[in-house]
């Protein structure tokens, strides 16, 4: 019996939801909401993911993503904990 090849989880944090879905699809994993009963928002930025980028998983494995839908009135500022990457990363989570 041949062992199935594992795939790398891509870096999704900092991407728009639509871009995260596309990158996940390309990497052969599935971006999902933390609660399977709640659909992911259509717009917003990915703020967290599990498993971490670069983790090897079975093809079609779920990658749980948290999304900040944005919007929400003005106000203020605080700083981001970590600046988002300059653009999409390859499936290994590197540029």
């Amino acid at each position: 019996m041949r062992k199935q090849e594992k795939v790398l989880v891509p870096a999704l944090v900092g991407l728009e939801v639509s871009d995260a879905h596309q990158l996940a699809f390309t990497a052969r994993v599935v971006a999902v909401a933390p609660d399977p009963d709640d659909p992911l928002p259509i717009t917003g930025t990915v703020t967290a993911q599990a498993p971490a980028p670069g983790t090897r998983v079975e093809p079609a494995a779920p990658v749980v993503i948290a999304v900040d839908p944005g919007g929400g009135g003005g106000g203020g500022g605080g700083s981001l904990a970590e600046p988002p990457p300059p653009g999409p990363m390859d499936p290994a989570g590197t540029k």
Side-chain angles (χ1 to χ4, degrees), residues 4-10 12 23-25 27-32 49-51 55-65:
Q4 187 167 358
E5 176 185 334
K6 294 198 175 196
V7 297
L8 289 174
V9 174
L12 303 176
L23 183 56
F25 179 79
R28 300 173 45 204
V29 296
V30 181
V32 298
Q49 74 177 76
T55 303
R56 291 199 173 272
V57 297
E58 298 293 327
V63 177
V64 177
I65 61 173

Side-chain angles (χ1 to χ4, degrees), residues 78 82 88:
E82 182 178 321

Side-chain angles (χ1 to χ4, degrees), residues 12-15 32 34 40 45-53 63-68:
L12 303 176
V13 174
L15 297 177
V32 298
L40 284 170
T45 303
V46 177
T47 58
Q49 74 177 76
V63 177
V64 177
I65 61 173
V67 177
D68 177 1

